[in-house]
């Protein structure tokens, strides 16, 4: 189930006697490493409590489209935008009918209508309702539109009857959604170099200067590019993250070693995405021995010298260059300067003072500025999803260049 790791799954739970089984689904998705956002319809809340799902997913649960505290209320398409897959389990005949005709009267129907992610539906209902002509027509309508149905299973039903209508097993549901998120290989043939993490500039054999970058954004981009079929080199300064499978991992420490690795990797590459937080300064002299305290000395002056600007230095006519600008003030003005000075195709700017964006969190809220003066403000997204937006742009620039 590794394909669900880091993926955003929206789990819509509707009101059915099988609603309690959704707790197992949420738990298994969480164990598979997915980020699970649960939406409960009012009817589902008659059967199960939001506390159950909040405890299992460690995330807020959406219970009401108009709930002022809900993310959907503020940015009602945010979940739809963030989702890699929307799963409705169990799905009642009523919800299936609403979806078939585009009705929106709860947060699940709103999310499905607004998403471009695959939608997987696991029906659960009485056999007679499932076999009715109208439910069959509704399912057919949705299947024709590309919605994926899993189940129902056949067996004993709450009504006392035996027949089709049971919610299928969690394992079958997980397989179905894992198939649906293995995305298209639209970047096949592209060579993409990504840098990540904060560089370390050694002072002496035991000390260094570094910064608070976690590497999550760069790793997220590398993962997204790999999933879309690109050949990826991930040049990583030290991080606490596990290496990304299926990419060429190059571990570096300092700005200088990163420059060498980036220059090597960019030979013949199509794009460079510099998500690393590169130190601007390194100690002017590296002390070969551990620096000792000197009796009576209560201040120390450490002389620093400039590191190379990697983005600026790397030149390859055909290379698409993408920079990041993490700023604490004057976001747009500072990012625009970097875009121009470093001769970039576009720059991804974020305000590091926001608690849900920037260092050490899984989400980011960025503004993309391009060299023709365009500006795109993206909503709060998982870092992998930010990666997808960056990759979409790279793909577009490449397609234009090949025209
Ligand atoms: N960068 C780089 N080499 C450096 C410093 C930064 O390639 N020596 C890249 C970063 O990876 C990022 C972009 O340049 O993509 C902007 O980095 P940032 O640290 O925000 O900008 P600086 O140019 O260092 O400017 P300042 O620190 O003054 O904000």
């Amino acid at each position: 189930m590794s394909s669900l790791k880091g993926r955003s799954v929206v789990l819509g739970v509707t009101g059915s006697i099988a609603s309690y089984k959704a707790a197992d689904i949420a738990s298994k998705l969480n164990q598979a490493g997915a980020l699970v956002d649960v939406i409960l319809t009012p009817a589902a809340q008659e059967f199960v409590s939001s506390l159950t799902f909040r405890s299992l997913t460690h995330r807020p649960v959406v219970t009401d489209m108009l709930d002022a505290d809900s993310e959907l209320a503020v940015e009602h398409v945010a979940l739809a935008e963030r989702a890699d897959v929307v799963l409705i389990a169990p799905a009642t005949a009523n919800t299936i009918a609403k979806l078939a005709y585009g009705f929106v009267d709860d947060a699940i129907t709103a999310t499905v209508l607004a998403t471009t992610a695959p939608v997987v539906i696991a029906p659960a209902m009485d056999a007679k309702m499932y076999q009715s002509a109208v439910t069959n027509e509704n399912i057919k309508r949705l299947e024709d539109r590309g919605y994926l149905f899993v189940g129902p299973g056949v067996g004993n039903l709450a009504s006392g009857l035996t027949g089709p209508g049971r919610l299928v097993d969690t394992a079958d549901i997980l397989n179905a959604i894992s198939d649906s998120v293995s995305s298209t290989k639209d970047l096949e043939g592209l060579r993409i170099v990504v840098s990540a993490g904060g560089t370390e500039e050694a002072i002496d054999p035991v000390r260094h200067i570094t910064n608070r970058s976690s590497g999550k954004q760069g790793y997220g981009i590398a993962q997204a590019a790999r999933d879309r079929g690109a050949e990826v080199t991930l040049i990583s300064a030290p991080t606490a993250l596990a290496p990304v499978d299926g990419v060429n991992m190059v571990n570096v420490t300092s700005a200088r070693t990163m420059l060498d690795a980036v220059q090597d990797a960019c030979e013949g590459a199509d794009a460079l995405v510099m998500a690393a937080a590169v130190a601007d300064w390194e100690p002017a002299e590296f002390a070969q021995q551990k620096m000792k305290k000197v009796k009576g000395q209560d201040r120390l002056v450490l002389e620093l010298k400039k590191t190379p600007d990697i983005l600026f230095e790397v030149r390859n006519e055909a290379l698409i260059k993408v920079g990041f600008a993490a700023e604490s003030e004057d976001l747009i003005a500072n990012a625009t300067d970097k875009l121009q000075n470093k001769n970039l195709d576009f720059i991804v700017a974020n305000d590091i003072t926001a608690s849900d964006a920037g260092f050490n969190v899984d989400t980011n809220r960025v503004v993309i500025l391009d060299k023709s003066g365009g500006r795109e403000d993206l909503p709060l997204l998982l870092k992998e999803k930010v990666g997808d937006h960056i990759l979409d742009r790279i793909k577009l620039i490449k397609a234009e260049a090949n025209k």
Side-chain angles (χ1 to χ4, degrees), residues 195-203 207-215 235-239 250-262 274-283 306-308 310 359:
S195 71
T199 64
E200 291 178 352
E201 311 301 328
I203 299 170
R207 303 183 178 92
H208 58 243
I209 303 171
T210 188
N211 59 65
R212 293 178 51 213
S213 169
S214 65
I235 298 170
S236 178
T239 71
V250 181
N251 293 311
V252 297
T253 47
S254 62
R256 280 176 197 284
T257 52
M258 183 171 275
L259 172 67
D260 291 344
V262 168
M274 280 294 294
V278 185
D280 293 325
W281 304 97
E282 62 183 349
K306 275 217 84 173
T307 57
I310 302 176
F359 292 134

Side-chain angles (χ1 to χ4, degrees), residues 4 13 20 33 42 91 103 118 176 178 231 239 255-256 287 293 295-296 335 343 373 387 389:
L4 291 176
V13 183
Y20 75 94
F103 285 101
S178 144
E231 186 188 328
T239 71
R256 280 176 197 284
K293 287 194 294 290
K295 241 198 183 125
N343 194 20
H389 279 272

Side-chain angles (χ1 to χ4, degrees), residues 75-276:
E75 274 176 79
H76 82 282
V77 290
L79 274 189
E81 162 80 11
R82 186 150 85 216
D84 288 307
V85 58
V86 177
L87 165 68
I88 308 176
T92 56
N94 184 42
T95 292
I96 289 171
K98 286 191 289 184
L99 292 176
Y101 286 90
F103 285 101
V104 171
D105 67 349
D106 58 31
I108 294 181
T109 43
T111 304
V112 170
L113 207 63
T115 196
T116 53
V119 178
V120 177
I121 301 176
M125 64 194 76
D126 175 68
K128 289 261 167 23
M129 290 170 83
Y130 178 67
Q131 286 162 332
S132 74
V134 64
T135 300
N136 270 283
E137 273 171 34
N138 291 338
I139 291 177
K140 168 94 179 40
R141 262 181 104 87
L142 292 170
E143 279 179 337
D144 289 348
R145 245 182 265 144
Y147 291 55
L148 197 94
F149 279 79
V150 47
V154 179
N156 295 330
L157 301 173
S159 58
L161 299 173
T162 303
R166 280 173 68 85
L167 184 69
V168 288
D169 290 344
T170 302
D172 294 331
I173 292 175
L174 260 61
N175 280 337
I177 65 167
S178 144
D179 285 351
S180 72
V181 296
S182 32
S183 47
T184 53
K185 305 288 181 203
D186 62 337
L187 301 180
E188 226 153 51
L190 285 194
R191 280 183 53 193
I192 299 181
V193 180
V194 182
S195 71
T199 64
E200 291 178 352
E201 311 301 328
I203 299 170
D204 68 12
V206 293
R207 303 183 178 92
H208 58 243
I209 303 171
T210 188
N211 59 65
R212 293 178 51 213
S213 169
S214 65
K216 285 183 177 174
Q217 181 62 76
Y219 276 55
I221 297 165
Q223 227 161 307
R226 173 207 62 191
D227 288 347
R228 291 169 64 169
E231 186 188 328
V232 182
T233 302
L234 174 57
I235 298 170
S236 178
T239 71
L241 303 173
V244 180
D245 290 336
V247 310
N248 310 313
M249 285 290 307
V250 181
N251 293 311
V252 297
T253 47
S254 62
R256 280 176 197 284
T257 52
M258 183 171 275
L259 172 67
D260 291 344
V262 168
Q263 267 171 336
D264 272 1
C266 282
E267 295 249 338
D270 297 287
L272 166 64
V273 184
M274 280 294 294

